[in-house]
mmCIF file of all heavy atoms in Angstrom:
data_model
loop_
_atom_site.group_PDB
_atom_site.id
_atom_site.type_symbol
_atom_site.label_atom_id
_atom_site.label_comp_id
_atom_site.label_asym_id
_atom_site.label_seq_id
_atom_site.Cartn_x
_atom_site.Cartn_y
_atom_site.Cartn_z
ATOM 1 N N ALA E 1 0.869 -1.178 0.000
ATOM 2 C CA ALA E 1 0.000 0.000 0.000
ATOM 3 C C ALA E 1 0.902 1.223 0.000
ATOM 4 O O ALA E 1 1.932 1.243 0.678
ATOM 5 C CB ALA E 1 -0.919 0.016 1.218
ATOM 6 N N GLU E 2 0.537 2.231 -0.777
ATOM 7 C CA GLU E 2 1.337 3.452 -0.804
ATOM 8 C C GLU E 2 0.432 4.654 -0.982
ATOM 9 O O GLU E 2 -0.638 4.568 -1.597
ATOM 10 C CB GLU E 2 2.398 3.399 -1.901
ATOM 11 C CG GLU E 2 1.875 3.252 -3.311
ATOM 12 C CD GLU E 2 2.997 3.236 -4.341
ATOM 13 O OE1 GLU E 2 4.156 3.535 -3.983
ATOM 14 O OE2 GLU E 2 2.701 2.953 -5.505
ATOM 15 N N GLN E 3 0.888 5.765 -0.415
ATOM 16 C CA GLN E 3 0.087 6.983 -0.469
ATOM 17 C C GLN E 3 0.986 8.205 -0.397
ATOM 18 O O GLN E 3 1.937 8.240 0.386
ATOM 19 C CB GLN E 3 -0.924 7.021 0.682
ATOM 20 C CG GLN E 3 -1.876 8.210 0.631
ATOM 21 C CD GLN E 3 -2.928 8.165 1.709
ATOM 22 O OE1 GLN E 3 -2.778 7.445 2.706
ATOM 23 N NE2 GLN E 3 -4.001 8.908 1.540
ATOM 24 N N CYS E 4 0.684 9.187 -1.222
ATOM 25 C CA CYS E 4 1.286 10.516 -1.118
ATOM 26 C C CYS E 4 0.290 11.430 -0.414
ATOM 27 O O CYS E 4 -0.926 11.247 -0.530
ATOM 28 C CB CYS E 4 1.624 11.089 -2.497
ATOM 29 S SG CYS E 4 2.967 10.254 -3.349
ATOM 30 N N ARG E 5 0.823 12.403 0.312
ATOM 31 C CA ARG E 5 -0.066 13.341 0.973
ATOM 32 C C ARG E 5 -0.935 14.049 -0.071
ATOM 33 O O ARG E 5 -0.457 14.463 -1.117
ATOM 34 C CB ARG E 5 0.742 14.350 1.794
ATOM 35 C CG ARG E 5 -0.119 15.264 2.637
ATOM 36 C CD ARG E 5 0.686 15.982 3.702
ATOM 37 N NE ARG E 5 1.248 15.061 4.686
ATOM 38 C CZ ARG E 5 0.562 14.520 5.695
ATOM 39 N NH1 ARG E 5 -0.731 14.791 5.836
ATOM 40 N NH2 ARG E 5 1.155 13.712 6.549
ATOM 41 N N ASN E 6 -2.205 14.149 0.207
ATOM 42 C CA ASN E 6 -3.198 14.730 -0.706
ATOM 43 C C ASN E 6 -3.410 13.880 -1.967
ATOM 44 O O ASN E 6 -3.974 14.352 -2.956
ATOM 45 C CB ASN E 6 -2.822 16.163 -1.107
ATOM 46 C CG ASN E 6 -2.695 17.089 0.098
ATOM 47 O OD1 ASN E 6 -3.477 16.987 1.035
ATOM 48 N ND2 ASN E 6 -1.696 17.960 0.076
ATOM 49 N N GLY E 7 -2.928 12.634 -1.917
ATOM 50 C CA GLY E 7 -3.121 11.743 -3.056
ATOM 51 C C GLY E 7 -3.883 10.509 -2.648
ATOM 52 O O GLY E 7 -4.156 10.272 -1.465
ATOM 53 N N PRO E 8 -4.258 9.680 -3.615
ATOM 54 C CA PRO E 8 -5.039 8.477 -3.309
ATOM 55 C C PRO E 8 -4.181 7.400 -2.660
ATOM 56 O O PRO E 8 -2.960 7.338 -2.859
ATOM 57 C CB PRO E 8 -5.530 8.028 -4.691
ATOM 58 C CG PRO E 8 -4.464 8.519 -5.626
ATOM 59 C CD PRO E 8 -3.987 9.833 -5.059
ATOM 60 N N LEU E 9 -4.813 6.558 -1.890
ATOM 61 C CA LEU E 9 -4.173 5.374 -1.346
ATOM 62 C C LEU E 9 -4.317 4.253 -2.371
ATOM 63 O O LEU E 9 -5.428 3.933 -2.798
ATOM 64 C CB LEU E 9 -4.836 4.974 -0.025
ATOM 65 C CG LEU E 9 -4.311 3.722 0.675
ATOM 66 C CD1 LEU E 9 -2.858 3.892 1.075
ATOM 67 C CD2 LEU E 9 -5.159 3.416 1.896
ATOM 68 N N VAL E 10 -3.201 3.698 -2.801
ATOM 69 C CA VAL E 10 -3.183 2.674 -3.847
ATOM 70 C C VAL E 10 -2.749 1.354 -3.226
ATOM 71 O O VAL E 10 -1.790 1.302 -2.450
ATOM 72 C CB VAL E 10 -2.237 3.074 -4.996
ATOM 73 C CG1 VAL E 10 -2.235 2.004 -6.086
ATOM 74 C CG2 VAL E 10 -2.650 4.422 -5.582
ATOM 75 N N VAL E 11 -3.467 0.286 -3.579
ATOM 76 C CA VAL E 11 -3.210 -1.024 -2.986
ATOM 77 C C VAL E 11 -2.846 -2.025 -4.080
ATOM 78 O O VAL E 11 -3.494 -2.084 -5.129
ATOM 79 C CB VAL E 11 -4.445 -1.523 -2.203
ATOM 80 C CG1 VAL E 11 -4.182 -2.904 -1.609
ATOM 81 C CG2 VAL E 11 -4.807 -0.544 -1.083
ATOM 82 N N PHE E 12 -1.799 -2.798 -3.817
ATOM 83 C CA PHE E 12 -1.366 -3.891 -4.676
ATOM 84 C C PHE E 12 -1.395 -5.183 -3.862
ATOM 85 O O PHE E 12 -1.289 -5.166 -2.636
ATOM 86 C CB PHE E 12 0.064 -3.672 -5.188
ATOM 87 C CG PHE E 12 0.281 -2.381 -5.916
ATOM 88 C CD1 PHE E 12 0.583 -1.219 -5.231
ATOM 89 C CD2 PHE E 12 0.203 -2.329 -7.302
ATOM 90 C CE1 PHE E 12 0.778 -0.022 -5.895
ATOM 91 C CE2 PHE E 12 0.409 -1.141 -7.981
ATOM 92 C CZ PHE E 12 0.699 0.023 -7.280
ATOM 93 N N ALA E 13 -1.515 -6.294 -4.545
ATOM 94 C CA ALA E 13 -1.422 -7.594 -3.893
ATOM 95 C C ALA E 13 -0.750 -8.552 -4.852
ATOM 96 O O ALA E 13 -0.566 -8.252 -6.041
ATOM 97 C CB ALA E 13 -2.797 -8.102 -3.488
ATOM 98 N N GLY E 14 -0.376 -9.723 -4.338
ATOM 99 C CA GLY E 14 0.266 -10.664 -5.243
ATOM 100 C C GLY E 14 0.660 -11.958 -4.569
ATOM 101 O O GLY E 14 0.411 -12.190 -3.385
ATOM 102 N N ILE E 15 1.292 -12.799 -5.358
ATOM 103 C CA ILE E 15 1.840 -14.064 -4.891
ATOM 104 C C ILE E 15 3.204 -14.252 -5.534
ATOM 105 O O ILE E 15 3.412 -13.891 -6.700
ATOM 106 C CB ILE E 15 0.885 -15.233 -5.230
ATOM 107 C CG1 ILE E 15 1.377 -16.533 -4.609
ATOM 108 C CG2 ILE E 15 0.679 -15.380 -6.734
ATOM 109 C CD1 ILE E 15 0.351 -17.653 -4.656
ATOM 110 N N LYS E 16 4.152 -14.762 -4.763
ATOM 111 C CA LYS E 16 5.504 -14.976 -5.279
ATOM 112 C C LYS E 16 6.008 -16.349 -4.819
ATOM 113 O O LYS E 16 5.389 -17.016 -3.981
ATOM 114 C CB LYS E 16 6.454 -13.881 -4.810
ATOM 115 C CG LYS E 16 6.749 -13.895 -3.318
ATOM 116 C CD LYS E 16 7.777 -12.835 -2.963
ATOM 117 C CE LYS E 16 8.210 -12.956 -1.513
ATOM 118 N NZ LYS E 16 9.277 -11.991 -1.164
ATOM 119 N N ASP E 17 7.136 -16.767 -5.401
ATOM 120 C CA ASP E 17 7.763 -18.050 -5.064
ATOM 121 C C ASP E 17 6.783 -19.208 -5.262
ATOM 122 O O ASP E 17 6.797 -20.190 -4.515
ATOM 123 C CB ASP E 17 8.289 -18.060 -3.620
ATOM 124 C CG ASP E 17 9.337 -16.987 -3.372
ATOM 125 O OD1 ASP E 17 9.908 -16.489 -4.355
ATOM 126 O OD2 ASP E 17 9.571 -16.639 -2.201
ATOM 127 N N LEU E 18 5.941 -19.083 -6.281
ATOM 128 C CA LEU E 18 4.988 -20.143 -6.606
ATOM 129 C C LEU E 18 5.627 -21.032 -7.676
ATOM 130 O O LEU E 18 5.778 -20.622 -8.824
ATOM 131 C CB LEU E 18 3.673 -19.547 -7.110
ATOM 132 C CG LEU E 18 2.559 -20.525 -7.474
ATOM 133 C CD1 LEU E 18 2.139 -21.344 -6.270
ATOM 134 C CD2 LEU E 18 1.356 -19.778 -8.052
ATOM 135 N N LYS E 19 6.027 -22.238 -7.291
ATOM 136 C CA LYS E 19 6.724 -23.143 -8.201
ATOM 137 C C LYS E 19 5.727 -24.069 -8.873
ATOM 138 O O LYS E 19 4.958 -24.758 -8.202
ATOM 139 C CB LYS E 19 7.785 -23.938 -7.434
ATOM 140 C CG LYS E 19 8.900 -23.055 -6.883
ATOM 141 C CD LYS E 19 9.967 -23.860 -6.179
ATOM 142 C CE LYS E 19 11.079 -22.943 -5.670
ATOM 143 N NZ LYS E 19 12.156 -23.707 -4.974
ATOM 144 N N LEU E 20 5.746 -24.076 -10.202
ATOM 145 C CA LEU E 20 4.776 -24.828 -10.985
ATOM 146 C C LEU E 20 5.484 -25.693 -12.023
ATOM 147 O O LEU E 20 6.550 -25.319 -12.532
ATOM 148 C CB LEU E 20 3.811 -23.877 -11.695
ATOM 149 C CG LEU E 20 2.978 -22.942 -10.805
ATOM 150 C CD1 LEU E 20 2.242 -21.927 -11.666
ATOM 151 C CD2 LEU E 20 2.006 -23.736 -9.957
ATOM 152 N N MET E 21 4.857 -26.817 -12.343
ATOM 153 C CA MET E 21 5.402 -27.702 -13.367
ATOM 154 C C MET E 21 4.262 -28.456 -14.053
ATOM 155 O O MET E 21 3.292 -28.846 -13.406
ATOM 156 C CB MET E 21 6.367 -28.728 -12.749
ATOM 157 C CG MET E 21 6.855 -29.785 -13.729
ATOM 158 S SD MET E 21 7.744 -31.158 -12.954
ATOM 159 C CE MET E 21 9.267 -30.328 -12.480
ATOM 160 N N LYS E 22 4.383 -28.605 -15.368
ATOM 161 C CA LYS E 22 3.578 -29.610 -16.067
ATOM 162 C C LYS E 22 4.523 -30.383 -16.967
ATOM 163 O O LYS E 22 5.433 -29.812 -17.591
ATOM 164 C CB LYS E 22 2.410 -28.992 -16.817
ATOM 165 C CG LYS E 22 2.707 -27.986 -17.912
ATOM 166 C CD LYS E 22 1.370 -27.514 -18.483
ATOM 167 C CE LYS E 22 1.551 -26.585 -19.665
ATOM 168 N NZ LYS E 22 0.231 -26.124 -20.195
ATOM 169 N N THR E 23 4.314 -31.689 -17.049
ATOM 170 C CA THR E 23 5.304 -32.573 -17.649
ATOM 171 C C THR E 23 5.089 -32.835 -19.132
ATOM 172 O O THR E 23 5.898 -33.514 -19.761
ATOM 173 C CB THR E 23 5.321 -33.917 -16.893
ATOM 174 O OG1 THR E 23 3.986 -34.453 -16.862
ATOM 175 C CG2 THR E 23 5.804 -33.717 -15.462
ATOM 176 N N THR E 24 4.017 -32.262 -19.686
ATOM 177 C CA THR E 24 3.770 -32.364 -21.131
ATOM 178 C C THR E 24 2.866 -31.204 -21.521
ATOM 179 O O THR E 24 2.628 -30.291 -20.722
ATOM 180 C CB THR E 24 3.135 -33.717 -21.497
ATOM 181 O OG1 THR E 24 3.096 -33.847 -22.936
ATOM 182 C CG2 THR E 24 1.755 -33.860 -20.915
ATOM 183 N N GLN E 25 2.360 -31.236 -22.736
ATOM 184 C CA GLN E 25 1.503 -30.166 -23.244
ATOM 185 C C GLN E 25 2.242 -28.821 -23.258
ATOM 186 O O GLN E 25 1.669 -27.785 -22.956
ATOM 187 C CB GLN E 25 0.207 -30.046 -22.442
ATOM 188 C CG GLN E 25 -0.791 -31.172 -22.678
ATOM 189 C CD GLN E 25 -1.511 -31.007 -24.007
ATOM 190 O OE1 GLN E 25 -0.909 -30.968 -25.077
ATOM 191 N NE2 GLN E 25 -2.820 -30.900 -23.941
ATOM 192 N N SER E 26 3.522 -28.872 -23.585
ATOM 193 C CA SER E 26 4.310 -27.644 -23.734
ATOM 194 C C SER E 26 5.357 -27.869 -24.811
ATOM 195 O O SER E 26 5.904 -28.975 -24.941
ATOM 196 C CB SER E 26 4.995 -27.278 -22.412
ATOM 197 O OG SER E 26 5.897 -26.199 -22.600
ATOM 198 N N GLY E 27 5.611 -26.846 -25.590
ATOM 199 C CA GLY E 27 6.629 -26.943 -26.624
ATOM 200 C C GLY E 27 7.186 -25.568 -26.953
ATOM 201 O O GLY E 27 6.770 -24.551 -26.394
ATOM 202 N N PHE E 28 8.127 -25.563 -27.890
ATOM 203 C CA PHE E 28 8.697 -24.297 -28.365
ATOM 204 C C PHE E 28 9.218 -24.536 -29.775
ATOM 205 O O PHE E 28 10.253 -25.175 -29.975
ATOM 206 C CB PHE E 28 9.812 -23.824 -27.432
ATOM 207 C CG PHE E 28 10.314 -22.439 -27.748
ATOM 208 C CD1 PHE E 28 9.434 -21.382 -27.931
ATOM 209 C CD2 PHE E 28 11.679 -22.185 -27.857
ATOM 210 C CE1 PHE E 28 9.890 -20.102 -28.207
ATOM 211 C CE2 PHE E 28 12.143 -20.912 -28.133
ATOM 212 C CZ PHE E 28 11.254 -19.869 -28.312
ATOM 213 N N GLU E 29 8.466 -24.020 -30.758
ATOM 214 C CA GLU E 29 8.774 -24.279 -32.163
ATOM 215 C C GLU E 29 8.609 -22.996 -32.972
ATOM 216 O O GLU E 29 7.956 -22.051 -32.557
ATOM 217 C CB GLU E 29 7.833 -25.349 -32.720
ATOM 218 C CG GLU E 29 7.848 -26.664 -31.974
ATOM 219 C CD GLU E 29 6.798 -27.622 -32.498
ATOM 220 O OE1 GLU E 29 5.653 -27.595 -31.990
ATOM 221 O OE2 GLU E 29 7.124 -28.395 -33.421
ATOM 222 N N GLY E 30 9.209 -22.979 -34.145
ATOM 223 C CA GLY E 30 9.033 -21.872 -35.075
ATOM 224 C C GLY E 30 9.698 -20.589 -34.662
ATOM 225 O O GLY E 30 9.340 -19.507 -35.152
ATOM 226 N N PHE E 31 10.691 -20.654 -33.787
ATOM 227 C CA PHE E 31 11.355 -19.434 -33.320
ATOM 228 C C PHE E 31 12.422 -18.975 -34.311
ATOM 229 O O PHE E 31 12.862 -19.724 -35.189
ATOM 230 C CB PHE E 31 11.956 -19.655 -31.930
ATOM 231 C CG PHE E 31 12.772 -20.916 -31.787
ATOM 232 C CD1 PHE E 31 14.106 -20.967 -32.172
ATOM 233 C CD2 PHE E 31 12.193 -22.075 -31.267
ATOM 234 C CE1 PHE E 31 14.845 -22.116 -32.041
ATOM 235 C CE2 PHE E 31 12.929 -23.240 -31.128
ATOM 236 C CZ PHE E 31 14.261 -23.266 -31.525
ATOM 237 N N PHE E 32 12.853 -17.731 -34.146
ATOM 238 C CA PHE E 32 13.866 -17.139 -35.028
ATOM 239 C C PHE E 32 15.184 -17.895 -34.874
ATOM 240 O O PHE E 32 15.605 -18.222 -33.767
ATOM 241 C CB PHE E 32 14.061 -15.663 -34.668
ATOM 242 C CG PHE E 32 15.113 -14.972 -35.478
ATOM 243 C CD1 PHE E 32 14.820 -14.453 -36.729
ATOM 244 C CD2 PHE E 32 16.416 -14.856 -35.007
ATOM 245 C CE1 PHE E 32 15.787 -13.813 -37.487
ATOM 246 C CE2 PHE E 32 17.388 -14.218 -35.754
ATOM 247 C CZ PHE E 32 17.076 -13.700 -36.994
ATOM 248 N N LYS E 33 15.845 -18.117 -36.000
ATOM 249 C CA LYS E 33 17.113 -18.853 -35.982
ATOM 250 C C LYS E 33 18.144 -18.103 -36.819
ATOM 251 O O LYS E 33 17.822 -17.488 -37.838
ATOM 252 C CB LYS E 33 16.926 -20.265 -36.548
ATOM 253 C CG LYS E 33 15.869 -21.106 -35.835
ATOM 254 C CD LYS E 33 15.719 -22.469 -36.502
ATOM 255 C CE LYS E 33 14.608 -23.288 -35.868
ATOM 256 N NZ LYS E 33 13.268 -22.724 -36.130
ATOM 257 N N ASN E 34 19.390 -18.165 -36.343
ATOM 258 C CA ASN E 34 20.513 -17.673 -37.146
ATOM 259 C C ASN E 34 21.735 -18.539 -36.840
ATOM 260 O O ASN E 34 21.596 -19.626 -36.269
ATOM 261 C CB ASN E 34 20.789 -16.176 -36.886
ATOM 262 C CG ASN E 34 21.206 -15.895 -35.453
ATOM 263 O OD1 ASN E 34 21.489 -16.820 -34.686
ATOM 264 N ND2 ASN E 34 21.250 -14.628 -35.095
ATOM 265 N N GLU E 35 22.929 -18.048 -37.204
ATOM 266 C CA GLU E 35 24.126 -18.882 -37.062
ATOM 267 C C GLU E 35 24.478 -19.182 -35.603
ATOM 268 O O GLU E 35 25.289 -20.068 -35.313
ATOM 269 C CB GLU E 35 25.324 -18.215 -37.763
ATOM 270 C CG GLU E 35 25.809 -16.903 -37.129
ATOM 271 C CD GLU E 35 25.054 -15.685 -37.647
ATOM 272 O OE1 GLU E 35 23.960 -15.878 -38.216
ATOM 273 O OE2 GLU E 35 25.581 -14.572 -37.477
ATOM 274 N N HIS E 36 23.875 -18.442 -34.657
ATOM 275 C CA HIS E 36 24.172 -18.666 -33.243
ATOM 276 C C HIS E 36 23.147 -19.572 -32.562
ATOM 277 O O HIS E 36 23.261 -19.838 -31.362
ATOM 278 C CB HIS E 36 24.216 -17.332 -32.500
ATOM 279 C CG HIS E 36 25.212 -16.362 -33.066
ATOM 280 N ND1 HIS E 36 26.561 -16.611 -33.092
ATOM 281 C CD2 HIS E 36 25.049 -15.143 -33.644
ATOM 282 C CE1 HIS E 36 27.187 -15.592 -33.654
ATOM 283 N NE2 HIS E 36 26.291 -14.690 -34.002
ATOM 284 N N THR E 37 22.169 -20.032 -33.317
ATOM 285 C CA THR E 37 21.105 -20.840 -32.721
ATOM 286 C C THR E 37 21.521 -22.304 -32.658
ATOM 287 O O THR E 37 21.875 -22.901 -33.680
ATOM 288 C CB THR E 37 19.801 -20.717 -33.545
ATOM 289 O OG1 THR E 37 19.424 -19.349 -33.617
ATOM 290 C CG2 THR E 37 18.681 -21.511 -32.885
ATOM 291 N N THR E 38 21.501 -22.872 -31.465
ATOM 292 C CA THR E 38 21.790 -24.297 -31.275
ATOM 293 C C THR E 38 20.613 -25.033 -30.644
ATOM 294 O O THR E 38 20.609 -26.260 -30.595
ATOM 295 C CB THR E 38 23.024 -24.490 -30.363
ATOM 296 O OG1 THR E 38 22.784 -23.870 -29.092
ATOM 297 C CG2 THR E 38 24.265 -23.866 -30.998
ATOM 298 N N LEU E 39 19.620 -24.300 -30.176
ATOM 299 C CA LEU E 39 18.476 -24.909 -29.494
ATOM 300 C C LEU E 39 17.592 -25.647 -30.488
ATOM 301 O O LEU E 39 17.136 -25.068 -31.472
ATOM 302 C CB LEU E 39 17.657 -23.835 -28.772
ATOM 303 C CG LEU E 39 16.456 -24.332 -27.948
ATOM 304 C CD1 LEU E 39 16.943 -25.034 -26.686
ATOM 305 C CD2 LEU E 39 15.535 -23.161 -27.606
ATOM 306 N N PRO E 40 17.322 -26.922 -30.263
ATOM 307 C CA PRO E 40 16.416 -27.650 -31.164
ATOM 308 C C PRO E 40 14.962 -27.294 -30.867
ATOM 309 O O PRO E 40 14.607 -26.908 -29.754
ATOM 310 C CB PRO E 40 16.692 -29.117 -30.827
ATOM 311 C CG PRO E 40 17.113 -29.101 -29.378
ATOM 312 C CD PRO E 40 17.871 -27.800 -29.206
ATOM 313 N N GLU E 41 14.121 -27.437 -31.880
ATOM 314 C CA GLU E 41 12.689 -27.250 -31.647
ATOM 315 C C GLU E 41 12.140 -28.426 -30.846
ATOM 316 O O GLU E 41 12.592 -29.559 -31.006
ATOM 317 C CB GLU E 41 11.953 -27.119 -32.983
ATOM 318 C CG GLU E 41 12.292 -25.858 -33.740
ATOM 319 C CD GLU E 41 11.317 -25.594 -34.881
ATOM 320 O OE1 GLU E 41 10.472 -26.472 -35.145
ATOM 321 O OE2 GLU E 41 11.385 -24.508 -35.481
#
């Protein structure tokens, strides 16, 4: 929460350090490639 004098009080919220994994249904294909690219699709 943060506030300036004569200004509005603004509120933020969130979550952090949330570790997630899924073991399939993910890929990475069709990305830009040049002479420095070694990553396979």
Side-chain angles (χ1 to χ4, degrees):
E2 61 179 350
Q3 185 175 18
C4 291
R5 186 165 295 281
N6 301 321
L9 178 63
V10 180
V11 179
F12 304 86
I15 186 168
K16 68 176 187 176
D17 300 341
L18 181 61
K19 295 182 179 180
L20 300 171
M21 173 190 289
K22 61 181 185 181
T23 54
T24 188
Q25 288 284 59
S26 172
F28 188 49
E29 303 174 270
F31 48 83
F32 178 84
K33 303 178 184 68
N34 63 11
E35 67 273 18
H36 303 298
T37 302
T38 59
L39 183 72
E41 293 194 353

